[in-house]
Amino acid sequence: SSGINAEYGHTERKLRCSNNSCYSKQSWAQREEAAEVQRNTFFGQLSSFISNMIAFELPSESIAEFREKMCQMADLDKEQVEMLRQMSPPVPEGEEEGEEESSFS
């Protein structure tokens, strides 16, 4: 059974690459589209994760610090970052939030 699954996975990867979806074979537009899909997926997962952190009543400072680090790491759009900031606690005073100053107090 595991041999069949391994063979299926190998065949699946081979098919994906043969259909010009391998990164090295993609056009610039295809790469940009893939990067945007990845950012949007990460945004959705991060917002869900932050919601869970809030639900479990983690310290606001920890949530804000985590949010800012993840946003920077994932290179999210400014709009996405602002949405995440609005749904979660602000960064405590004295800490930087990125390029823009937060309107939260």
Side-chain angles (χ1 to χ4, degrees):
S1 170
S2 64
I4 293 172
N5 288 336
E7 184 177 315
Y8 175 76
H10 177 72
T11 304
E12 192 63 23
R13 283 189 297 278
K14 193 173 181 180
L15 285 173
R16 280 185 274 168
C17 285
S18 66
N19 291 332
N20 278 341
S21 65
C22 283
Y23 187 78
S24 62
K25 295 179 183 179
Q26 290 179 338
S27 70
W28 182 83
Q30 289 171 320
R31 290 178 187 183
E32 279 297 307
E33 183 179 347
E36 186 170 340
V37 167
Q38 190 173 20
R39 277 191 301 273
N40 289 337
T41 301
F42 187 84
F43 169 76
Q45 291 173 339
L46 183 57
S47 61
S48 179
F49 196 82
I50 290 171
S51 293
N52 287 334
M53 293 173 81
I54 294 167
F56 284 112
E57 299 178 355
L58 272 81
S60 296
E61 298 82 20
S62 298
I63 296 171
E65 181 182 343
F66 175 78
R67 177 194 66 225
E68 294 304 314
K69 286 181 180 179
M70 292 297 107
C71 287
Q72 185 178 21
M73 181 192 75
D75 193 29
L76 297 179
D77 296 336
K78 287 182 181 183
E79 295 82 19
Q80 291 173 321
V81 173
E82 275 307 308
M83 284 189 264
L84 292 170
R85 286 177 180 161
Q86 289 175 5
M87 72 175 280
S88 59
V91 174
E93 286 188 35
E95 294 185 23
E96 291 189 22
E97 196 167 46
E99 295 176 12
E100 301 174 356
E101 198 170 313
S102 175
S103 58
F104 303 103
S105 306

